[in-house]
Amino acid sequence: MQPVPIQAMNTRVVRVSTAKDYWTILFGIWLIGGIFVDGFAHNHGVVETFFTPWHAILYSGFMVSAIWMCWLLYRSKRTTGLPWLKAAPVGYGLGLIGVAIFLLGGLFDMYWHVVFGIEQNTAALLSPSHLMLLLGGILILSSPFRAGWHNDKLTKPSWVEFAPAFLSLVITVGAVSFFLMYAWTFRYNLPAAAVVDWYISHFSNGIVAESNEMRGLTYILLDTLIYMYPVFLLMKRWQLPFGAMTLLFAMITTMMNVLDGFVYYQSIIIAGAAGLLGDLLYRYLKAGEGRMWAQRIIAGALPVALWGFYFGYMNAGDGIGWSAELWSGSIVEATLLSLGVHFLSASKGKG
């Protein structure tokens, strides 16, 4: 690596090249791939010990990421002569802390499995050792995103320049959504007529069926945040190249489909179609020029499209089991939530 020292506010900082960010992303995909393969194994009951092929993929992905990031730090230190604490390239300081957290989490996870056994189902997502791995993984995976965020020259990037920061955000959101898989709407399809009929037939008093309506609404609202907040971050910082929202929605949904062997592959098309509408609105309304009203239209339109396509596909198939008030109201609530979050997160703009 040949880091580029620059002067900023009388402080020397170091940036890695875009090519180096691509390597970070490659190793990050290795790591996130191990996470999802391990999740698939847990969901299908094939995990028996800590020492599994799935963990081998996960921890080897971590090892190459850790070695790479430590090498970037070492080269930066040698080139600039800065103290270790200041030599970390822009965006990578927290990633190096993430390496330490992930390492400690991995050792803790091995101890946890030996003492308490292998967790199953939701318990596996709430294990303290696994949550340490999540925190460390997020800090590692988001390093190129932070680097891009703090690069003032990267305002209206081409896809070649933008891809590392974009993919970094996608796989970071993927890690978060993985740990919220118990609330992933497309896995459970609680509004579907067949699912509603099953609950009614098995629980005659209706309390459980009503509770699952509330559960389904909660899932929709939480998943709205998972999809939309990354969109707000991207719009706040960059003028986006066409296709960013389509790829964001489709890639997050594709990663989540790995957990069930792509049984719910239709959700990729549904989410991708909603993202495409966002890209078209972004270009047509020129939201990249700082038009806040245009960004708010996108903040409202995307949830309508996502859940509208979802319920529309469901209705065309086996039917919707929820009442019209419930499914239409869930779309309205998701839209209001998205708009509220955008009002809180967005900076001032034109219009």
Side-chain angles (χ1 to χ4, degrees):
M1 182 190 71
Q2 295 182 347
V4 182
I6 64 173
Q7 293 291 331
M9 299 175 62
N10 298 322
T11 301
R12 294 182 76 196
V13 296
V14 180
R15 299 189 188 277
V16 300
S17 65
T18 301
K20 299 298 188 297
D21 279 333
Y22 270 105
W23 280 105
T24 306
I25 286 298
L26 177 63
F27 299 140
I29 291 173
W30 185 344
L31 172 58
I32 196 70
I35 292 174
F36 276 91
V37 170
D38 186 55
F40 176 89
H42 275 279
N43 287 344
H44 293 79
V46 296
V47 176
E48 297 178 356
T49 68
F50 178 83
F51 299 98
T52 64
W54 333 114
H55 278 185
I57 298 173
L58 168 61
Y59 285 105
S60 62
F62 161 68
M63 286 301 297
V64 295
S65 295
I67 292 170
W68 170 251
M69 295 182 74
C70 289
W71 184 78
L72 291 177
L73 175 63
Y74 171 74
R75 292 294 299 166
S76 173
K77 165 68 175 174
R78 285 197 58 184
T79 304
T80 64
L82 292 170
W84 285 106
L85 292 179
K86 295 183 179 180
V90 173
Y92 281 76
L94 287 176
L96 288 160
I97 295 174
V99 167
I101 294 174
F102 199 101
L103 178 60
L104 292 174
L107 295 173
F108 184 25
D109 191 40
M110 181 170 61
Y111 172 79
W112 190 275
H113 288 330
V114 170
V115 175
F116 297 104
I118 305 298
E119 311 93 335
Q120 296 294 331
N121 303 318
T122 307
L125 301 170
L126 299 178
S127 163
S129 61
H130 287 174
L131 293 177
M132 281 187 67
L133 294 174
L134 170 62
L135 176 59
I138 286 175
L139 294 176
I140 294 169
L141 297 173
S142 57
S143 295
F145 175 77
R146 288 191 299 273
W149 185 279
H150 293 290
N151 186 353
D152 294 335
K153 296 181 180 179
L154 200 66
T155 301
K156 188 177 180 181
S158 66
W159 264 114
V160 172
E161 299 169 314
F162 185 55
F166 173 77
L167 292 174
S168 175
L169 179 62
V170 169
I171 60 179
T172 301
V173 174
V176 174
S177 61
F178 175 92
F179 275 80
L180 294 173
M181 71 173 75
Y182 52 81
W184 191 250
T185 300
F186 299 110
R187 292 190 74 205
Y188 301 99
N189 287 320
L190 295 177
V195 176
V196 172
D197 291 343
W198 185 90
Y199 278 106
I200 292 175
S201 64
H202 284 74
F203 304 97
S204 57
N205 61 13
I207 296 177
V208 174
E210 184 179 358
S211 296
N212 276 282
E213 290 177 352
M214 292 183 282
R215 179 181 162 211
L217 175 59
T218 302
Y219 289 2
I220 288 174
L221 295 178
L222 183 58
D223 293 342
T224 298
L225 291 176
I226 292 174
Y227 278 112
M228 294 305 301
Y229 192 70
V231 173
F232 301 154
L233 282 177
L234 293 174
M235 291 196 301
K236 183 175 183 178
R237 175 60 183 82
W238 291 286
Q239 295 185 45
L240 303 179
F242 186 81
M245 297 182 203
T246 306
L247 287 174
L248 174 69
F249 276 38
M251 292 175 72
I252 292 172
T253 314
T254 298
M255 286 189 286
M256 293 303 292
N257 266 267
V258 171
L259 298 171
D260 297 294
F262 291 89
V263 173
Y264 310 109
Y265 67 90
Q266 300 92 338
S267 61
I268 302 173
I269 301 173
I270 292 170
L276 178 59
L277 174 63
D279 280 316
L280 292 172
L281 287 173
Y282 187 84
R283 171 169 288 188
Y284 178 75
L285 299 176
K286 298 181 179 179
E289 297 179 7
R291 297 180 176 181
M292 194 58 60
W293 62 267
Q295 294 188 17
R296 287 170 184 161
I297 289 176
I298 294 171
L302 278 178
V304 172
L306 177 63
W307 302 118
F309 293 160
Y310 172 66
F311 285 114
Y313 177 82
M314 186 180 295
N315 186 61
D318 296 331
I320 303 173
W322 284 2
S323 66
E325 294 84 358
L326 187 57
W327 67 258
S328 61
S330 68
I331 297 176
V332 174
E333 281 204 353
T335 303
L336 293 175
L337 174 63
S338 178
L339 285 169
V341 173
H342 184 263
F343 270 95
L344 292 173
S345 64
S347 60
K348 293 182 180 180
K350 298 177 182 179

